[in-house]
Amino acid sequence: MQRQHASITDAAYGQRRSEIGALSAGLTPDDPIPLVEYTDWEHEVWRLVCADLAVRHRVDAAAPYLQAAEELAVPLDHVPQLRDVSGRLASMSGFRLQSAAALVPLKEFCGSLANSVFRSTQYLRHPRSPLYSEDPDMLHDLVGHGIALANTRFAHLYRLAGEAAARVQSADALQFIGKVFWFTLECGVVREHGERKAYGATLVSSYGELDHFRSAAFLPLDIESLVDIEYDISTYQPLLFEADSLDQVEDVLGAFWGSCDDESIAALLDRRSRRVGSRH
């Protein structure tokens, strides 16, 4: 793969991302998703990643994700048009996709979720590293989040996260909501028949993450435990939170996102400060 695309320099790749992103610049939510004429190397990256992930998903992905993938039927042999996937998704869970020129700020991203809209990129990761991307690309957004959103249970949790983010005013509260989102809908793990299975979008959209996630340390899914955890989104996660079932994921996240506000999150963070202070 690297030899095949050696002529694509970093500068050329950056220009291609900028060209695709520019198609969505300034669009309103009511504007149609722009069509992209993808190149041969982009289709090849899509085929390579999807073929490898399809094999890993049968072993490592949670059953609700696998069922959603089958029903949404995102093409595996070519880059789909975001507009087409959005239409199918809307008929399944009420969510629709909106193209994004680049990474969307957390408040804006979550605000869209509250309105059943997921902001997706349309560009692909660098062809020299097809199996992992440090920042979101269309493979992450569609194979990870888009497929999950075809499941009505996951879609409900995404909406709750968006509504919670829309309620809070403080930066600390928003960041904590984002942290909960990261360790669940991005990097969540659930047990099925005694085995750990991935459902988080970051895990299921990355061959590298799926190859690594079982070697992480695991803690039971618990909102208060998340307060003390730091994380780095640019590397494989050394610590993950697991739930006993999707029912438990819904119960824990539903209870938190369904009722949290600035005051309740501040109380959580304050308890952490007191714990840290008592150690010194």
Side-chain angles (χ1 to χ4, degrees):
M1 189 71 180
Q2 290 179 347
R3 290 191 298 272
Q4 182 178 357
H5 298 298
S7 62
I8 301 178
T9 67
D10 289 344
Y13 173 72
Q15 180 179 356
R16 176 60 176 163
R17 280 181 59 146
S18 296
E19 290 172 354
I20 294 175
L23 297 174
S24 299
L27 294 183
T28 71
D30 295 325
D31 290 326
I33 297 173
L35 299 176
V36 179
E37 186 174 343
Y38 289 104
T39 64
D40 289 343
W41 74 259
E42 287 164 329
H43 286 301
E44 181 60 22
V45 167
W46 187 274
R47 282 192 293 268
L48 173 65
V49 175
C50 288
D52 285 344
L53 285 176
V55 175
R56 294 306 302 261
H57 285 165
R58 289 194 288 271
V59 176
D60 294 320
Y65 174 87
L66 292 174
Q67 181 178 356
E70 181 177 352
E71 293 174 353
L72 186 59
V74 173
L76 305 181
D77 60 346
H78 65 276
V79 188
Q81 292 296 330
L82 201 64
R83 184 185 300 183
D84 296 337
V85 180
S86 180
R88 295 198 301 276
L89 183 61
S91 68
M92 296 173 67
S93 69
F95 254 89
R96 63 184 178 88
L97 304 173
Q98 182 183 344
S99 59
L103 186 66
V104 180
L106 181 60
K107 187 75 171 181
E108 182 182 347
F109 172 78
C110 288
S112 296
L113 296 180
N115 295 317
S116 299
V117 174
F118 184 87
R119 303 291 300 278
S120 173
T121 55
Q122 289 184 283
Y123 51 77
L124 298 183
R125 61 196 58 179
H126 198 290
R128 295 191 184 121
S129 56
L131 299 182
Y132 179 76
S133 178
E134 290 188 355
D135 58 336
D137 71 335
M138 189 173 169
L139 274 159
H140 169 80
D141 288 339
L142 283 193
V143 177
H145 294 291
I147 288 176
L149 286 167
N151 178 290
T152 55
R153 297 172 74 182
F154 285 131
H156 177 62
L157 294 176
Y158 276 75
R159 288 189 192 95
L160 287 178
E163 290 166 2
R167 277 197 305 275
V168 300
Q169 300 296 319
S170 77
D172 287 344
L174 179 62
Q175 289 302 315
F176 187 71
I177 288 170
K179 178 189 283 191
V180 175
F181 189 97
W182 174 257
F183 279 107
T184 55
L185 298 182
E186 289 283 4
C187 295
V189 176
V190 65
R191 281 194 173 271
E192 292 179 351
H193 309 294
E195 292 189 50
R196 291 183 172 116
K197 301 288 185 176
Y199 69 86
T202 291
L203 301 185
V204 297
S205 65
S206 168
Y207 186 97
E209 292 280 9
L210 288 175
D211 205 35
H212 174 271
F213 88 98
R214 293 182 195 278
S215 65
F218 287 88
L219 289 175
L221 179 59
D222 174 70
I223 298 299
E224 288 204 26
S225 296
L226 280 164
V227 174
D228 295 316
I229 305 301
E230 302 297 331
Y231 65 101
D232 179 357
I233 67 172
S234 67
T235 187
Y236 297 139
Q237 299 305 298
L239 176 66
L240 296 172
F241 288 80
E242 64 177 343
D244 293 331
S245 64
L246 183 54
D247 287 344
Q248 186 189 17
V249 175
E250 291 177 302
D251 289 345
V252 171
L253 295 183
F256 173 68
W257 281 332
S259 63
C260 69
D261 55 22
D262 289 284
E263 184 176 345
S264 64
I265 294 175
L268 274 175
L269 300 179
D270 183 59
R271 284 198 290 274
R272 177 185 185 274
S273 297
R274 289 200 300 270
R275 286 197 302 270
V276 172
S278 67
R279 297 174 191 151
H280 298 286

